[in-house]
Every structure is written in C-alpha cells, then in structure tokens.
C-alpha cells in the first residue's frame, strides 16, 4: 500500500467510526450528556487521526501553531450544532459569572457587526473571535473541528495573511485539514442517520443565541432548531 493510500484509509476509517459513534449517541432515548460526550469524542478523534496521519506522512516543516498565536482566529468559523453545544457547556461549567458576562457583551458586539457576512466580508473586517483571550483560544480544549483542521507550517505566512486581511494564503498541513473534515462529515452523517438536519452554524451567531439560553442543548435534542438564525 502506498503512503497516500494508507493516509486515505486512516481518514476514511475516522469518518466511518465517527458516523457510527454519532448515530449511536443520538439514538432514543436521547440525553444531553451522551450528546456532549459524543462531540468531545469527535474532537479527540480528529486530533488522534491527525497524529496517526502525521506518523505516516509528516508535515514538510514543523506545525507553527501554538498558544499565543492568534492570526487565524479572525476568520469566519462554522461548526456543527453538537460542537457549539460542547463549547457552550464548557463555558457554563468552567467560567465564572464575570467572565461569562464579559463574553456575552463581546459576542453581542461582534455578532452585531458580522451576522450574515460571508468569508470575504468577514476577513475584510478582521474582527477577533470573541473566544480569543490574551492571544490564545479560551476554549482550546473544546475548540471546533474547523479550528483544529487549520495547521500552518509557516508563521511568517500567517502574519502576512493577517496583515493582508486574508488576501494572502497560508501553507497548511493538508492531511490535518482532511482529518478534521472527515470527522466532521462523519458527525454530520450520524446526525442524518438519526433524523437531525445538517446545519453549518456560524460560531459567533451561535454563541449569541446559546449564551442566552441555558436549555439550548435539550432544545436542540427535542428538534426545536434553536440555531436557525445562526445557520451559514
Ligand atoms: S474558537 Fe478558539 S481557535 Fe477557533 S477561532 Fe475562536 S479563538 Fe480561535
């Protein structure tokens, strides 16, 4: 088997495993606990798949991403509902009242300026993700798959891309992007298998909705589509 075939097999298995896992977690009777654990496993699976792929096909240069590097956290981010619900649950469980209130204000301001904008319009504004704190992701452990998939191999290119409002590209370690995407597709397929709609949700709009609704995970499980206004 060639390296390319091995990489493809690893990525395909991750998608299939995630599809089965998502469908199993969302079978009736449904619970928010099982939903959130499934979302957390999806994130772990994406990380593990990226590691497995890197063992076979290492990046051409070391991955440049790390704490205190905020350049890509100014673009429009989308995620599935379970991923967003996991971020909201993490905030509810680990942030104190003052920090949550400050986040609500920040989210409201940024959402007011960005709701409905496409990737290019959002890049021109170059507003930071409201979850960016002191140059690092404040929800790093539960950041969405789309954030995990972006692995730059050139920090200077990231700085140039940031300065150009993302007009300049960034060389990514493509297999990591594919791994995160594959797990995302598997997650979505599991949702479809269990009767849920596929929703690609814009993160800031979803946070604005979710931070004002402590029952949002249960509401989503009941099929009430609470993120309709955040769909991209
Ligand atoms: S969720 Fe975290 S990693 Fe993703 S854009 Fe926001 S701050 Fe950056």
């Amino acid at each position: 088997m060639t390296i390319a075939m091995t990489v493809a097999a690893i990525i395909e298995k991750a998608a299939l495993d995630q599809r089965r896992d998502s469908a199993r977690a969302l079978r009736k009777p449904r619970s928010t606990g099982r939903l959130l654990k499934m979302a957390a496993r999806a994130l772990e699976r994406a990380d593990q798949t990226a590691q497995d792929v890197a063992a076979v096909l290492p990046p051409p240069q070391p991955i440049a991403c790390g704490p205190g590097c905020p350049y890509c956290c100014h673009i429009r981010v989308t995620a599935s509902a379970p991923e967003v619900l996991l971020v909201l649950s993490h905030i509810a469980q680990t942030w104190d009242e003052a920090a949550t209130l400050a986040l609500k204000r920040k989210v409201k301001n940024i959402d007011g300026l960005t709701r409905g904008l496409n990737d290019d319009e959002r890049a021109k504004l170059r507003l930071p993700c409201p979850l960016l704190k002191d140059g690092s992701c404040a929800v790093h452990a539960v950041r969405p798959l789309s954030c995990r998939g972006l692995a730059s191999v050139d920090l200077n290119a990231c700085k140039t891309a940031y300065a150009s409002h993302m007009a300049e590209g960034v060389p990514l370690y493509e297999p990591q992007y594919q791994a995160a995407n594959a797990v995302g597709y598997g997650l979505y397929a599991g949702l479809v298998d269990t009767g849920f709609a596929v929703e690609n949700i814009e993160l800031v709009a979803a946070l604005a909705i979710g931070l004002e609704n402590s029952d949002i995970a249960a509401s989503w499980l009941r099929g009430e589509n609470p993120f309709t206004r955040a769909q991209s």
Side-chain angles (χ1 to χ4, degrees):
M1 200 187 264
T2 64
I3 287 177
M5 286 164 74
T6 305
V7 167
I10 292 169
I11 289 175
E12 186 182 346
K13 181 176 182 311
L16 291 172
D17 286 350
Q18 186 57 48
R19 178 178 190 165
R20 272 191 292 270
D21 190 357
S22 299
R24 202 166 37 234
L26 290 168
R27 264 190 221 128
K28 293 177 181 171
R30 292 171 176 150
S31 78
T32 55
R34 282 171 54 211
L35 166 68
L36 297 175
K37 280 182 188 159
M38 178 276 287
R41 284 195 300 275
L43 304 181
E44 285 166 18
R45 179 170 284 117
D47 290 353
Q48 186 61 55
T49 304
Q51 281 178 33
D52 293 347
V53 167
V56 180
L57 179 64
Q61 294 155 256
I63 302 289
C65 308
C69 184
Y71 298 108
C72 70
C73 296
H74 295 73
I75 60 174
R76 186 169 162 276
V77 172
T78 60
S80 64
E83 293 168 78
V84 172
L85 293 168
L86 183 63
V87 170
L88 288 165
S89 167
H90 177 82
I91 291 167
Q93 285 174 23
T94 60
W95 290 34
D96 65 26
E97 208 178 314
T100 305
L101 193 60
L103 176 66
K104 281 183 184 178
R105 284 200 204 102
K106 207 173 0 165
V107 166
K108 196 174 171 191
N109 287 339
I110 296 175
D111 185 40
L113 294 166
T114 59
R115 179 83 65 109
L117 298 188
N118 63 28
D119 288 354
D120 289 344
E121 293 164 335
R122 178 76 198 251
K124 271 187 198 133
L125 279 183
R126 207 180 60 184
L127 292 171
C129 173
L131 295 169
L132 200 56
K133 198 173 178 189
D134 302 328
S136 294
C137 178
V139 296
H140 188 262
V142 293
R143 69 198 188 286
L145 289 167
S146 53
C147 304
R148 283 163 202 266
L150 293 185
S152 167
V153 292
D154 186 342
L155 177 58
N156 284 329
C158 296
K159 291 177 181 173
T160 304
Y162 174 79
S164 72
H165 291 247
M166 302 302 160
E168 298 292 327
V170 170
L172 296 178
Y173 175 49
E174 193 66 25
Q176 183 159 328
Y177 179 74
Q178 290 172 9
N181 250 357
V183 171
Y185 281 128
L187 195 160
Y188 277 129
L191 297 190
V192 172
D193 292 342
T194 45
F196 288 89
V198 169
E199 304 170 283
N200 201 27
I201 299 169
E202 195 274 311
L203 182 61
V204 181
L207 291 173
I209 295 166
L211 286 168
E212 300 298 337
N213 180 357
S214 59
D215 185 46
I216 195 155
S219 166
W220 185 82
L221 277 178
R222 289 194 295 268
E224 293 168 359
N225 300 321
F227 291 118
T228 301
R229 286 184 294 117
Q231 282 178 21
S232 76

